[in-house]
Amino acid sequence: MNIPKLAAEQKKHLGIIGCQISHSLSPVMHNTVIQTLNLPMVYGVMDVTEEMLPSLISSMRSLHFRGANVTIPYKQIIMKYLDEISEEAEKIGAVNTIVNNNGRLIGHNTDVWGVYLSLQPYTNEIKNNHVIIFGAGGATKATVFAVAKFFSPRYISIVNRTAEKAHQIINHFSPQYRLTKFSHLETESDIQREIEVAALVINTTSVGMKPNIHAMPISPNIVLQKNQLVFDIVYNPVETSFLKLAKSVEARTIGGVEMLLGQGARAFELWTHQEFPMSAARAVLTQELTNPNGE
Ligand code: ATR
């Protein structure tokens, strides 16, 4: 599908803000649902450097923008440019959706809903159990929030390349969720030990995302467990190397497509106040992700 250009003046503009996001499927998903509902809107790509964010944000106030999604690596930094942050996004500490209310930009977090939808079938397995989360970025914050709030695990362990950011996440969430114990895992042996008792392992980093499809968020020496739940929020490719590794030991895998749909549906409803046509969105994502060219 051709992604419409953002120059269609008579239309309300939507789009995704990020860096190196040519593989994002949000444009094709949202433009499909816009066409399905016959709305006068268009969703484009705003692939910008961090220096460009202030002018992009101010142009969003004055142009025909209805709103935007925000993705890697700006889910946290974007917050300081907005006029208001929803209560939930404030608690999370990250924004993935902006709504323009007559020139006032309001930050929301709909990733939470995507995580909830993805994990909801496994509620009983997660409750009172151990969860390991790889990453410490904006998507991680929404994931930690959703897991702690809706699934009440006994332990959440964070693993991240930059230890400092893992500590920040723990300091941010442990006062909010006192029934869950938070810890940071650093050594390979600590990670392995925790994997052996974890009900659920989640990748919230961008590692393994197209085009770096052979990369994995864990060391190849780590052994995942048979029947363990392994969730990767990366949706392109649909089966990441991490999920392939999980399948090779007969772990149960959860891909990132439900998360994409869930967060997209909530964002769309905030922008348009219309119900998101889930089946049209799912169909186009299936088609795009099974395309042998992979684009
Ligand atoms: P966002 O806030 O939009 O989620 P982000 O803050 O850039 O984006 O977070 C991306 C996450 O992926 C971080 O946990 C990042 O690790 P660092 O905190 O060490 O930067 C992780 N990540 C990205 N590329 C990585 C890589 N090549 N190896 C390991 N972790 C990586």
Side-chain angles (χ1 to χ4, degrees):
M1 172 181 197
N2 287 329
I3 295 164
K5 298 229 166 18
L6 281 181
E9 299 264 311
Q10 74 283 18
K11 293 186 174 177
K12 281 277 188 192
H13 295 164
L14 298 166
I16 183 161
I17 303 171
C19 186
Q20 299 183 337
I21 50 173
S22 60
H23 293 287
S24 170
L25 291 181
S26 288
V28 78
M29 174 174 76
H30 284 296
N31 283 313
T32 297
V33 301
I34 285 167
Q35 282 167 18
T36 303
L37 297 176
N38 204 17
L39 298 176
M41 299 183 116
V42 59
Y43 188 109
V45 176
M46 293 169 272
D47 201 329
V48 293
T49 61
E50 195 174 325
E51 295 69 45
M52 291 156 79
L53 283 179
S55 53
L56 174 67
I57 292 295
S58 65
S59 69
M60 280 182 68
R61 286 196 185 87
S62 54
L63 293 178
H64 299 276
F65 265 102
R66 177 61 185 141
N69 285 128
V70 184
T71 190
I72 287 175
Y74 302 135
K75 287 182 179 180
Q76 297 172 84
I77 193 111
I78 202 86
M79 294 174 78
K80 67 180 178 202
Y81 300 113
L82 305 178
D83 303 309
E84 196 179 317
I85 305 290
S86 77
E87 200 183 321
E88 194 168 61
E90 191 72 60
K91 279 191 189 153
I92 293 163
V95 158
N96 80 314
T97 300
I98 302 171
V99 177
N100 181 4
N101 260 353
N102 300 318
R104 243 183 111 62
L105 300 182
I106 304 166
H108 295 264
N109 195 303
T110 70
D111 280 340
V112 173
W113 183 240
V115 174
Y116 173 76
L117 276 191
S118 305
L119 296 179
Q120 193 265 340
Y122 311 100
T123 303
N124 294 338
E125 294 182 55
I126 304 167
K127 195 173 165 64
N128 286 330
N129 226 312
H130 293 239
V131 177
I132 304 185
I133 301 181
F134 288 85
T140 317
K141 285 183 159 179
T143 305
V144 172
F145 179 89
V147 169
K149 184 178 164 99
F150 299 116
F151 303 103
S152 309
R154 185 156 301 157
Y155 297 94
I156 293 181
S157 305
I158 308 285
V159 182
N160 193 50
R161 177 177 61 180
T162 311
E164 163 74 16
K165 289 211 241 162
H167 288 292
Q168 282 169 9
I169 295 232
I170 291 167
N171 293 338
H172 181 84
F173 286 105
S174 46
Q176 292 185 46
Y177 296 101
R178 294 192 176 278
L179 296 180
T180 299
K181 287 198 174 69
F182 290 85
S183 67
H184 170 225
L185 302 176
E186 248 175 318
T187 66
E188 222 166 88
S189 59
D190 283 350
I191 297 168
Q192 182 64 55
R193 220 180 353 259
E194 191 59 22
I195 292 239
E196 283 167 17
V197 293
L200 169 66
V201 182
I202 311 177
N203 173 43
T204 66
T205 74
S206 49
V207 179
M209 191 184 283
K210 224 169 170 187
N212 301 315
I213 59 167
H214 298 297
M216 281 202 292
I218 60 169
S219 145
N221 301 325
I222 301 282
V223 184
L224 294 163
Q225 307 294 295
K226 186 173 176 176
N227 287 329
Q228 186 164 54
L229 289 168
V230 179
F231 173 27
D232 197 335
I233 70 164
V234 172
Y235 62 81
N236 195 1
V238 101
E239 189 169 85
T240 59
S241 292
F242 182 48
L243 292 187
K244 283 194 178 121
L245 179 73
K247 275 199 173 160
S248 73
V249 297
E250 296 178 47
R252 289 169 297 154
T253 59
I254 307 164
V257 173
E258 287 309 305
M259 164 118 180
L260 174 65
L261 285 165
Q263 63 76 33
R266 271 285 156 104
F268 188 83
E269 286 164 11
L270 286 169
W271 297 321
T272 64
H273 307 293
Q274 300 224 24
E275 196 176 326
F276 186 77
M278 193 59 93
S279 53
R282 195 185 296 281
V284 75
L285 292 181
T286 305
Q287 183 191 318
E288 293 287 321
L289 288 164
T290 51
N291 174 344
N293 297 322
E295 292 298 331

